[in-house]
Each structure stands twice: as structure tokens, then as C-alpha cells.
Amino acid sequence: MQLKTCHLVIVLLVLAGCTSRTKEIIKEQYIITDIICDRIDSTDKQPTKEDLQGFIIGTRDTFDTLKKKGRSINISVYAKSVALSDRVNNKEDISMDELRQFVKMTRDAYKLILEEDKK
Amino acid sequence: MSTIIVSDLKSFAAKCVWQINDVQKNLDSILESTVKETFTVNEWTALWNQSQVNKEVQNLMSKYLIEVTELSKSSLQLINEDAVIREANKTKAIDKMKIEEDLKLSLKGLARKSLVRPFNLMDFYKDLDDKWFDNMISGATASQETPIAVKDRDGNDLQIKITNAVIEYMIANRFMILKVGKDTFKQFLLLCSDGQDLVALKLIYSNMDTTALINQYKENAVKLAEIYKQDQDTKAFWLQMATTLGGKLISLALGSII
């Protein structure tokens, strides 16, 4: 019985650790997106098309996992990330304006998730 | 031991002031028949003595050997010096990259610790001087005996102790903290202690170039998926445990009824 209790405690600790780490990662994703947004608007360290394509793939993977976890996410951003990443994989051309708009949408989506976490 | 470099020999032969056909011919034939890139003086002398040249030419070659050996020595010295300088520069560049990378990781680690347990280190360096780091460490250590009175964001009084983990971090990263500069580190701690963890994180990330940022972003997505998988595995494990336990309880209950 003691062994079972021990297992239960370990399971709870692991689950608690996972939740906290997930929150930290979402914070980091938000910060990175925020910096990319700033850089798009400035003349310094402007992201290249390849950088932004990498961003699309990263966003799709992040939102895929969040969706699986049952987190409420901005569906239009998720749908856009799926559509854009398919276009990246098919090597279709995506305009810089479209990419810029997507990064900004993603930042707002992360912000909403973080605000929800605070509640 | 001195070595004779074949490329030096060739170059010397081309510039040779005494263009005696026999010498040139023999030299060429020796150089063509060897795959070696260097000779010791003794090896070269033995090789040369075997060749078909008369005494006069051999005497000339002795002079030649001395000059070639000297030439090789100076070439070698230059090559070695150059290699040492290049190696030092390479190590320096690697060290710099490693320090910067470690610094980013350490600051990220500290940011995470701070998110869990906000603290206010700013009280330790109102009077920043050359010994600011030592003062900070001694102040942090003393706080374990006598907690420090600080105010939180809402102006409430708090008694805080700097945890061992944070002190250990500061000592372990002393060099890097000094390297990043007290102003940046001060700003970072100020943001952490004020609960502005997002801005503190931004301070760390904003130094990275865009491609590195995107790579970090993609890595985070992968980490998130791994955590989710781990989470699912744990839940499955627990479900299995609960089913086994439940099954056993039911069978025990049935057994006692029967």
C-alpha cells in the first residue's frame, strides 16, 4: 500500500511539474513572438523569409500540442498556421505582408492564453 | 630534430644560384621519386650521397643542405608561431561563444527560479562600487540569518531570505554576471524582483539574433510536444494503477461476501 501511495505522490509531482513547465514555454513563445513582431516593424535585425517560415512551422507545432492538451486557443490563428505551414511544405510563395500579419495574430493569441493562465 | 620540407627544397632549387645540370637533375629525380613531405637532415644526406654526382657537386650540396636546413627551421618556426596564434584565436572565439551561450541559459534558469519565488536583490546594491558583486553575495548570505525587509509591488512589507539556490547560482556564474555587466544584470534582477518576469525574459532573448530566436521557438514547440507525451504516459500509468487497485478491491469485497 505504501508503494502505491508513493506512486501516487510521484505521479502528482510529475503532473504538477509538467503544468508549470508548459506555462513557462508558452511565456517564452510569447516573448519570442513579441520580439519578432518588434523586429518586423523596425529596420534592425529584420527577420528573413526563411526565419518567418520557420516561425510558421514552430507555431503550428505549438498550437497542435496546445489543442491536444485541450487548451482553448484562437482557432483562426491555428487554422492559419495549418494553412500556411502546408504552403511552406509545398514550397508555395507567401508574401511578406501575409507573414507579418500572421506573426502579429500569433502574438495576440499567446497573450490571450497567458491571460487565461493568470485567472 | 630539424626537418627539411620538400616544398621548401623545390622552391630553393628553383631559385638556386648554381644552376648545375647534374644537381638539378638529381634533385628533381629524388624529389619526384619520393612521396615524403619532410626529411630529417640525415635522411636527406643519405639519399643525396646515394645519387650519381661527383665530389664537386656533393660539396656544393653540403652548402645547399645547410641553407635548406636553416630555411626549413625558419619556415617551421613561422608555421608553428602561426599555428599557436590561430589556435589561441580559435579558443578565444569558442570561449566567447560558450560564455555567451552559458549566460543566456543561466539567466533563463534564474528567471525561472524567480518566477517561482520572487525576490528583491536590489536592496543589496544601492551603493554599487567595484566590490558590488561581493557585497551582493554577502548580503544575500546574511539574509538567511536576518531576513531583509522589502516591499512588494503593492507596497506591502515582506521579510525575505535569499535562497541557497540563488546564492549558489550567483557564485557559480560570478564571471558571467560580471561579464554581462552590472547594469544589465541589475536591470534583469529588478524586473524579476518586481514580478515582471515577461519583461525580464524579453531582456534575455532580445540579445539573440533572429535566426537563433526562431530556432529556440521551434525547439520550444518540440519540448512542449515531449511534455505532452510524458503527461499522457503518466496519466496512462495512473489509470492502469487505479484499474488494478479497483479490480483487487472488488475481488476482495466479493471474496468476503461469498
Side-chain angles (χ1 to χ4, degrees), chain A residues 21 24-25 28-29 32 62, chain B residues 108 112 205 215-225:
Chain A
R21 184 75 190 101
E24 280 172 21
I25 290 179
E28 288 181 15
Q29 298 295 69
I32 294 173
T62 307
Chain B
K108 262 173 78 179
R112 286 193 183 125
Y205 280 123
N215 286 340
Q216 177 72 42
Y217 186 77
K218 286 198 279 189
E219 266 176 39
N220 280 349
V222 174
K223 269 185 223 159
L224 202 62

Side-chain angles (χ1 to χ4, degrees), chain B residues 230-254:
Chain B
Q230 193 185 347
D231 196 8
Q232 289 302 102
D233 290 348
T234 313
K235 277 179 186 164
F237 167 77
W238 176 234
L239 191 68
Q240 195 189 357
M241 290 289 288
T243 317
T244 317
L245 269 174
K248 283 202 174 154
L249 279 173
I250 292 168
S251 59
L252 272 174
L254 283 174

